[in-house]
């Protein structure tokens, strides 16, 4: 993830250029009324879709926020779940 986002063309997302940030709030039944089950983020730059980087924290896998992701992160950092 260290080369994912930064200043210059050696990064996947070059902060020298315009970026569109898209955040999706996904529900368990894919309706506006359902319970929130996932938060996804991706970027668009130069017409190319770039997904949010995967976690680099050992024991925490994924690139979106879910109950499983949060529980894993809390376990790793010894926070109450």
């Amino acid at each position: 993830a260290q080369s994912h986002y930064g200043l210059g063309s050696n990064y996947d997302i070059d902060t020298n250029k315009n970026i569109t940030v898209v955040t999706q709030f996904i529900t368990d039944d894919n309706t506006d009324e359902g319970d929130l089950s996932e938060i996804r983020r991706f970027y668009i730059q130069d017409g190319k879709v770039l997904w949010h980087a995967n976690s680099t924290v050992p024991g925490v896998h994924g690139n979106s926020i879910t109950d499983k992701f949060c529980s894993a992160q809390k376990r790793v950092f010894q926070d109450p779940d």
Side-chain angles (χ1 to χ4, degrees), residues 13-33:
I13 300 170
D14 181 355
T15 56
N16 279 324
K17 299 178 180 181
N18 290 333
I19 306 165
T20 299
V21 180
V22 179
T23 305
Q24 296 176 316
F25 298 90
I26 310 299
T27 61
D28 58 354
D29 63 0
N30 292 316
T31 70
D32 291 345
E33 290 80 30

Side-chain angles (χ1 to χ4, degrees), residues 26-71:
I26 310 299
T27 61
D28 58 354
D29 63 0
N30 292 316
T31 70
D32 291 345
E33 290 80 30
D35 291 332
L36 181 64
S37 61
E38 182 177 10
I39 301 172
R40 293 183 199 152
R41 177 165 292 156
F42 62 92
Y43 310 90
I44 302 171
Q45 188 170 65
D46 295 333
K48 183 178 171 186
V49 174
L50 303 152
W51 289 98
H52 193 71
N54 283 309
S55 172
T56 59
V57 176
V60 181
H61 305 286
N63 65 353
S64 65
I65 300 171
T66 62
D67 286 342
K68 183 177 177 180
F69 181 91
C70 289
S71 292

